[in-house]
């Protein structure tokens, strides 16, 4: 077919394309005019060809992605009613945030349809609670993913739940009583993204993070069968750098498969994606609709298993029906009107994305190897090396935002001077400081527009 269609045209090499471009530039510097430098340490060329794909990475992709809804559980009965209502409106997976052991999972799971995917993120560490959960779901047609992350707790808060030894002991008990769960351990890559880490750093830190678990698990008496079934979950925050974010998820799957294989564990992982908070803005908040749409598309095309779409007003409004409905409908439109569920692994074979995937994976592995040489993720975290690197990347990105090189419409470009927000804020939208005794410096999430928004709010109060 290719011969018949293109037999009249001579094949053009990348070298010939570049020569033609340079001729059209009339003496202007090719690299200066057309090669884009990024914060990720990767230069974007003006075009890519088959010559860039001397070697591609084999990346697995799910055949189906779930539309997910996140529910904070203050009452099991109320959360259950909300979940059942959302399932009637197009939600396919539920993500319950559990604040305490008092939550009755029998009430929480009441009348949930067979085969549904449920994510449980406890804000506590309790092996006994997990044992009861494991016994409760035995024989039930439910896919339950428990999101236990003791290292993530240390990185985020600066403290263990209890202590290093006690937390690892409790984790072992959880793993020994999780036979009916799809997965019991998760890694929150979103923490690094929302704190300002660039993409190679996000990938490297999350893999170094999971390697700490693999090193610990390797000391336990896991059978080959148990290792082959052990599934890690990754919670990924997706930014606005469209093609890079598609490639990030693909690179994550490939690196995890590479590292897990070395330990003899299952090489596939489960990815839950959600929009980043870092690019969301308080002013001209409707633009957040557009941001979460492209971020959702990146998650779909990158190959996430489940996608939760953050409401446009989540940073300053309490949960509300309108915000939740619009967020859910964005994903429903992508599925039912954009047909983004019809083809799997859409990015495979695309010159640009395949090249980015490989470059991101290679850069991430370089950083990962440096972390391992330094004694591993926990040691680097305790010494402050990880925090320092993230701060440096965050500062570089912040500088680009402050200079106007990185644009957030309505905030640092095309602002609406009549936009007032002082009376609409229900939730504190800025970095919260909670002085307390900590073991290590925590990794702090912060939005790019926070400082400029605080200045605008101050002007509102004065006017």
């Amino acid at each position: 077919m290719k011969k018949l269609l293109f037999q009249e045209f001579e094949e053009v090499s990348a070298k010939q394309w570049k020569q033609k471009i340079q001729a059209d530039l009339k003496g202007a510097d090719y690299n200066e005019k057309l090669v884009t430098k990024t914060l990720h340490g990767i230069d974007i060329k003006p075009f890519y060809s088959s010559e860039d794909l001397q070697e591609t990475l084999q990346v697995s992709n799910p055949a189906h992605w779930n539309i997910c809804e996140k529910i904070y559980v203050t009452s099991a009965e109320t959360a259950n009613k909300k979940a059942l209502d959302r399932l009637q409106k197009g939600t396919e997976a539920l993500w319950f945030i559990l604040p305490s052991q008092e939550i009755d999972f029998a009430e929480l799971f009441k009348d949930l349809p067979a085969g549904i995917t449920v994510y449980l993120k406890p804000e506590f560490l309790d092996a006994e609670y997990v044992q009861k959960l494991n016994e409760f779901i035995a024989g039930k047609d439910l896919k339950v993913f428990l999101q236990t992350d003791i290292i993530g707790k240390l990185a985020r808060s600066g403290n263990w739940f209890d202590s290093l030894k006690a937390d690892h002991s409790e984790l072992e008990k959880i793993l020994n009583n999780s036979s009916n769960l799809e997965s019991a351990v998760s890694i929150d890559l979103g923490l690094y993204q929302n704190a300002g880490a660039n993409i190679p750093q996000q990938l490297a830190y999350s893999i170094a993070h999971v390697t700490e678990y693999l090193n610990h698990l390797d000391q336990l008496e896991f059978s080959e069968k148990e290792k082959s079934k052990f599934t890690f979950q990754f919670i990924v925050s997706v930014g606005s750098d469209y093609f890079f974010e598609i490639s990030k998820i693909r690179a994550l799957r490939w690196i995890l498969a590479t590292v897990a294989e070395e330990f003899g564990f299952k090489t596939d992982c489960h990815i839950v994606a959600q929009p980043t908070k870092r690019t969301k803005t308080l002013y001209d908040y409707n633009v957040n609709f557009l941001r979460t749409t492209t971020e959702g598309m990146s998650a779909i095309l990158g190959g996430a298993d489940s996608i939760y779409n953050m409401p446009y007003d989540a940073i300053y409004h309490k949960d509300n029906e309108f915000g939740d409905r619009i967020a859910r409908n964005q994903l429903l439109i992508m599925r039912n009107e954009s047909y983004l569920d019809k083809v799997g692994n859409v990015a495979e074979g695309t010159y640009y994305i395949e090249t980015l995937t490989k470059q991101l994976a290679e850069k991430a592995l370089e950083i990962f190897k440096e972390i391992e040489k330094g004694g591993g993720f926990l040691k680097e975290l305790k010494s402050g090396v990880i925090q320092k690197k993230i701060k440096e990347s965050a500062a570089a990105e912040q500088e680009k935002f402050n200079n106007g090189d990185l644009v957030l419409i309505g905030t640092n470009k095309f602002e609406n001077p009549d936009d007032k927000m002082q009376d609409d804020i229900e939730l504190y939208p800025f970095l919260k400081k909670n002085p307390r005794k900590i073991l290590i410096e925590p990794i702090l999430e912060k939005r790019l527009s926070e400082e400029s928004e605080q200045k605008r709010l101050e002007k509102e109060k004065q006017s």
Side-chain angles (χ1 to χ4, degrees):
M1 179 61 75
K2 183 179 176 182
K3 256 187 172 180
L4 290 172
L5 289 174
F6 300 108
Q7 59 186 352
E8 295 180 20
F9 302 96
E10 289 184 14
E11 193 168 328
V12 182
S13 68
K15 183 180 179 181
Q16 287 173 299
W17 274 117
K18 190 171 181 179
Q19 287 173 341
K20 174 61 178 169
I21 291 169
Q22 287 175 321
D24 290 345
L25 284 172
K26 301 187 186 321
D29 186 85
Y30 175 89
N31 290 323
E32 188 179 314
K33 286 288 184 181
L34 297 178
V35 175
T36 304
K37 296 191 177 298
T38 70
L39 291 168
H40 312 298
I42 293 171
D43 294 344
I44 304 173
K45 301 191 298 183
F47 74 95
Y48 290 80
S49 72
S50 58
E51 293 178 27
D52 293 293
L53 296 183
Q54 300 299 322
E55 182 186 355
T56 60
L57 306 181
Q58 297 301 310
V59 180
S60 63
N61 251 49
H64 172 82
W65 53 274
N66 292 312
I67 295 173
C68 186
E69 187 104 9
K70 188 185 287 187
I71 300 172
Y72 189 86
V73 184
T74 51
S75 154
E77 182 181 359
T78 303
N80 175 261
K81 287 180 181 177
K82 186 175 182 179
L84 293 173
D85 175 68
R86 298 300 189 265
L87 290 170
Q88 293 293 320
K89 295 175 179 176
T91 295
E92 299 168 313
L94 300 167
W95 192 354
F96 292 117
I97 312 300
L98 309 178
S100 77
Q101 298 96 319
E102 304 303 315
I103 302 301
D104 180 2
F105 42 77
E107 183 68 41
L108 187 64
F109 283 58
K110 186 179 178 182
D111 297 328
L112 292 186
I116 189 170
T117 296
V118 178
Y119 303 99
L120 298 177
K121 188 173 181 61
E123 296 181 335
F124 54 88
L125 189 66
D126 188 340
E128 189 178 336
Y129 186 84
V130 175
Q131 183 178 354
K132 291 176 182 176
L133 170 67
N134 191 56
E135 292 169 357
F136 173 77
I137 64 174
K140 293 181 173 61
D141 188 8
L142 296 168
K143 296 177 181 177
V144 180
F145 292 79
L146 182 68
Q147 296 174 335
T148 308
D149 186 8
I150 57 174
I151 296 172
K153 168 68 164 61
L154 175 69
R156 183 180 292 276
S157 69
N159 289 314
W160 298 100
F161 284 99
D162 188 342
S163 66
L164 184 151
K165 187 176 180 181
D167 282 15
H168 279 82
S169 176
E170 201 73 3
L171 176 63
E172 288 173 24
K173 293 175 188 175
I174 287 172
L175 296 177
N176 288 329
N177 291 285
S178 59
S179 56
N180 298 314
L181 300 173
E182 299 292 318
S183 170
V185 178
S186 66
I187 293 87
D188 189 356
L189 184 146
L191 171 62
Y192 312 124
Q193 198 278 341
N194 282 301
N198 62 36
I199 290 177
Q201 287 175 329
Q202 293 169 44
L203 293 169
Y205 298 156
S206 61
I207 294 302
H209 186 150
V210 82
T211 300
E212 290 288 346
Y213 286 128
L214 285 166
N215 282 322
H216 184 72
L217 295 174
D218 208 35
Q219 298 171 19
L220 306 180
E221 295 180 358
F222 273 44
S223 67
E224 292 302 314
K225 185 177 180 182
E226 287 173 320
K227 287 184 176 182
S228 68
K229 287 184 175 181
F230 196 98
T231 302
F232 284 104
Q233 301 166 65
F234 287 90
I235 302 170
V236 176
S237 286
V238 181
S240 56
D241 206 336
Y242 187 70
F243 292 108
F244 273 81
E245 292 293 339
I246 293 172
S247 304
K248 177 175 84 176
I249 296 175
R250 300 180 79 249
L252 175 62
R253 285 194 183 276
W254 183 83
I255 302 172
L256 183 278
T258 303
V259 174
E261 187 176 28
E262 291 296 313
F263 287 86
F265 276 76
K266 183 178 178 180
T267 57
D268 197 12
C269 61
H270 189 91
I271 296 176
V272 184
Q274 59 185 340
T276 179
K277 289 178 279 188
R278 191 155 171 80
T279 59
K280 303 306 170 288
T281 57
L282 182 62
Y283 287 91
D284 216 344
Y285 50 77
N286 287 322
V287 182
N288 291 333
F289 285 124
L290 306 178
R291 296 183 183 118
T292 54
T293 298
T294 64
E295 289 158 3
M297 287 179 68
S298 290
I300 293 166
L301 299 177
D305 293 276
S306 289
I307 301 166
Y308 159 70
N309 189 28
M310 183 171 66
Y312 73 101
D313 57 351
I315 61 171
Y316 69 93
H317 262 174
K318 294 177 182 177
D319 284 350
N320 60 89
E321 174 62 30
F322 180 76
D324 289 344
R325 180 172 66 86
I326 295 298
R328 184 172 55 253
N329 285 350
Q330 285 174 267
L331 292 175
L332 286 167
I333 287 171
M334 283 186 247
R335 164 165 290 161
N336 298 305
E337 296 185 28
S338 300
Y339 307 110
L340 293 182
D341 66 330
K342 300 301 181 188
V343 181
N345 216 352
V346 177
E348 186 175 32
T350 56
Y351 303 146
Y352 181 34
I353 294 174
E354 288 279 19
T355 303
L356 281 185
T357 301
K358 190 169 183 290
Q359 289 176 317
L360 289 173
E362 288 171 347
K363 284 198 167 290
L365 284 174
E366 287 174 15
I367 299 169
F368 169 68
K369 288 174 184 176
E370 287 300 314
I371 294 171
E372 291 301 294
K373 282 181 186 175
F377 186 70
L378 275 177
K379 186 174 181 181
E380 297 266 281
L381 197 62
K382 289 174 183 176
S383 65
V385 173
I386 302 295
Q387 296 90 324
K388 180 174 179 287
K389 295 292 184 183
I390 291 176
K391 282 181 181 177
E392 288 171 355
S393 292
E397 188 178 29
Q398 189 69 54
E399 185 180 4
K400 287 180 82 68
F401 171 80
N402 294 343
N403 293 339
D405 295 327
L406 194 162
V407 174
L408 293 179
I409 299 297
T411 299
N412 67 341
K413 194 166 188 177
F414 306 122
E415 303 97 318
N416 178 3
D418 298 324
D419 199 2
K420 308 295 180 187
M421 288 301 299
Q422 184 181 340
D423 298 329
D424 291 328
I425 297 174
E426 298 174 351
L427 300 172
Y428 188 70
F430 306 116
L431 176 65
K432 296 174 185 174
K433 294 182 179 178
N434 180 24
R436 64 195 184 282
K437 187 177 180 181
I438 53 176
L439 293 173
I440 66 166
E441 179 188 353
I443 296 172
L444 302 175
E445 298 181 345
K446 186 181 179 183
R447 294 181 299 107
L448 284 167
S449 56
E450 287 194 18
E451 291 175 11
S452 64
E453 289 168 353
Q454 286 173 312
K455 289 176 183 177
R456 287 181 70 173
L457 282 172
E458 192 58 39
K459 285 182 181 178
E460 279 188 50
K461 291 176 185 177
Q462 293 171 1
S463 61

